[in-house]
Amino acid sequence: MTDDLAPVLAAFHAQSHGKDVAQPETLFSGPVLSSGPTDGAGEPPLTLPALEPLRGLAAAGPPLGGPWSPVQRMLAASVEAVRVRRLSAADRYPVHRAYPSPRGLFGADVFVLPAGRGSGCLRVDPQSHALHPVAGARLPDDPETALAGAHLVVAVDHRRYPPEYGRLRPSLALLEGGHLAATLGLTLTRAGLRPRTRLGPAAAPLPDGLLPCARVTLGTDGDEDGPSLRPEAVARASETAAPTGTHLRGWLDDRTSGVSTANLVTSAHVSPERGSTITDALTAALGAARSVAPGPDSLKLYQQTLADGRIDDRTARELGPDGARHPGRPVPRTDATPFSSSLGFTLAVDFIPWARAHGPHAETVLHTLLGWIAQWGCLGAAATGLCARPMRNYEEAEWAAALGFAPDQTPAYQLWVRAERGAYMDVPVDAAPPTPGHGGSTP
């Protein structure tokens, strides 16, 4: 191991082993928590009619047609990806979007960066669906002209999470950024655009504390700026996860990790067959991710199931990016490796090739990619009426031993599936008012 890799590896394992995570005492504990930067030019935000193009679009099928301009499509997709979708007043995690976040605090944002230098950037607000200027930007008088050729940046701020998350906060923020980047790729694809997602730091005039972790371009540029997730790969993952017979809006509204207070192990049994859409979506995303992985063994996906539905008989098998199912092997039952539900998935990495390929940016690239992959599993769950809860706080060494990993493999991220949704507590934020004479509302 070379000396320049040592601090990179040490930083990675400081967030992976011997974590100092404590149970947060309250939802909004810690320093000042914010839903995003608002240090713009002090002028009113630019309100967008940006939900209209995608509001009635089918989740599967042809992308958005009609006369919408590329700028309108980009803004519509950005809002649809990041916006607050529903509230759960009776749950301790009350705010929901189309992607998961620790305790629903949301440490990731989408920014629009106009073409050209010195233009500042605009934040897509998840609540008002408006553009807010940040970092000295000014709102454009003519958005169509000013935003032509713009690109999008996903940036994260781990300080929005309670300090009880300790050293996990930076990686949790990057994982969330990856979930958001995948959702943004989906909505841009459905809007009829061709998103290319580059993982890792990006030059952007953002407020202090925000770390860019992904840049999304919509042109025809290639890979000269480094490896990227190509538009075709995003489209394949979208097609694999998409439900039929529902709208894109409803599909994203249905994304949930389940009731926060529920113990996943008490969920009704979810068989591999019932979770097949999740499995297919994850393997499609894994196939897409292989283009940016530094080697075939640097990133692997495993499925955990109950053998014949018996809680004491557990198996794990590797899933190939081509959909291949490797032979299963028994998983010993230990106190440190509880099955959080009857169906789960583990993403495992060999971090040394990532460190060699990306140096000090390896964590940013890898954790963002892991979140990107896992989000397609979350979307596959939403497409089939299931919940998918990501998990990061576990004993990696114990899980690696139980799953039979080689010494250079670290279980870096898990996704557990359950059946109970708890949607009875949810209220859509833009539910239509009841029609006179009717008691219901439009979902």
Side-chain angles (χ1 to χ4, degrees):
M1 182 189 308
T2 59
D3 291 341
D4 57 338
L5 286 184
V8 179
L9 295 173
F12 172 74
H13 288 294
Q15 295 191 46
S16 299
H17 296 280
K19 297 179 295 293
D20 55 349
V21 177
Q23 178 65 35
E25 295 180 1
T26 62
L27 179 61
F28 298 108
S29 63
V32 176
L33 298 172
S34 167
S35 61
T38 57
D39 60 340
E43 54 190 287
L46 176 64
T47 303
L48 307 168
L51 289 179
E52 292 306 320
L54 294 180
R55 188 177 290 272
L57 184 69
L64 180 69
W68 303 100
S69 71
V71 169
Q72 289 172 318
R73 293 168 188 264
M74 176 188 69
L75 296 177
S78 299
V79 169
E80 203 59 68
V82 78
R83 76 184 182 93
V84 174
R85 313 195 75 86
R86 64 187 198 282
L87 301 174
S88 298
D91 194 7
R92 66 184 181 186
Y93 304 169
V95 182
H96 301 268
R97 299 186 193 171
Y99 54 94
S101 172
R103 302 184 72 81
L105 292 175
F106 297 102
D109 280 302
V110 172
F111 295 89
V112 181
L113 271 68
R117 297 181 180 273
S119 301
C121 62
L122 305 168
R123 175 178 177 262
V124 183
D125 185 73
Q127 297 183 16
S128 66
H129 310 158
L131 291 180
H132 290 262
V134 297
R138 304 290 297 182
L139 290 173
D141 296 327
D142 180 4
E144 281 289 336
T145 301
L147 300 181
H151 65 274
L152 303 168
V153 167
V154 176
V156 299
D157 184 354
H158 71 265
R159 299 171 303 177
R160 298 183 198 169
Y161 305 149
E164 288 88 345
Y165 280 110
R167 287 173 290 174
L168 273 187
R169 289 198 290 177
S171 62
L172 288 174
L174 292 168
L175 289 165
E176 181 183 326
H179 281 272
L180 174 53
T183 310
L184 187 59
L186 166 66
T187 56
L188 289 166
T189 299
R190 300 300 299 129
L193 300 172
R194 290 175 51 79
R196 181 182 292 271
T197 304
R198 290 181 175 82
L199 306 176
L206 299 175
D208 290 341
L210 279 161
L211 171 66
C213 64
R215 180 166 68 97
V216 182
T217 58
L218 303 172
T220 58
D221 53 337
D223 294 335
E224 58 273 12
D225 290 338
S228 60
L229 298 165
R230 297 178 177 87
E232 297 79 11
V234 177
R236 284 195 298 273
S238 302
E239 293 167 1
T240 303
T244 58
T246 188
H247 293 151
L248 175 66
R249 176 191 178 204
W251 178 22
L252 298 182
D253 285 353
D254 282 345
R255 202 289 312 164
T256 180
S257 300
V259 182
S260 63
T261 55
N263 186 342
L264 289 177
V265 79
T266 63
S267 168
H269 181 263
V270 180
S271 66
E273 292 74 23
R274 188 178 178 192
S276 61
T277 299
I278 303 171
T279 302
D280 293 344
L282 287 170
T283 54
L286 180 67
R290 286 301 171 96
S291 67
V292 301
D297 294 328
S298 62
L299 175 62
K300 293 187 175 184
L301 173 67
Y302 295 85
Q303 180 193 67
Q304 297 96 240
T305 60
L306 304 181
D308 300 321
R310 297 189 299 269
I311 191 66
D312 289 328
D313 295 323
R314 313 183 302 172
T315 61
R317 70 182 68 247
E318 184 181 348
L319 303 177
D322 57 355
R325 274 47 168 180
H326 293 249
R329 57 175 179 253
V331 178
R333 183 177 178 84
T334 72
D335 292 339
T337 60
F339 263 39
S340 293
S341 66
S342 57
L343 176 62
F345 302 87
T346 296
L347 285 160
V349 303
D350 177 359
F351 187 68
I352 291 179
W354 294 92
R356 287 176 177 153
H358 301 286
H361 303 312
E363 278 193 73
T364 301
V365 173
L366 177 60
H367 284 124
T368 305
L369 179 62
L370 291 172
W372 189 90
I373 295 170
Q375 177 61 8
W376 295 106
C378 294
L379 292 170
T384 50
L386 295 168
C387 311
R389 180 175 293 182
M391 189 172 294
R392 181 82 173 88
N393 186 20
Y394 50 83
E395 292 295 332
E396 282 90 348
E398 294 282 353
W399 270 106
L403 295 174
F405 286 175
D408 55 3
Q409 278 191 294
T410 297
Y413 204 27
Q414 291 186 337
L415 194 69
W416 293 98
V417 184
R418 60 190 302 260
E420 287 80 15
R421 298 179 58 86
Y424 61 90
M425 296 193 299
D426 295 345
V427 178
V429 296
D430 54 0
T435 303
H438 298 79
S441 62
T442 303

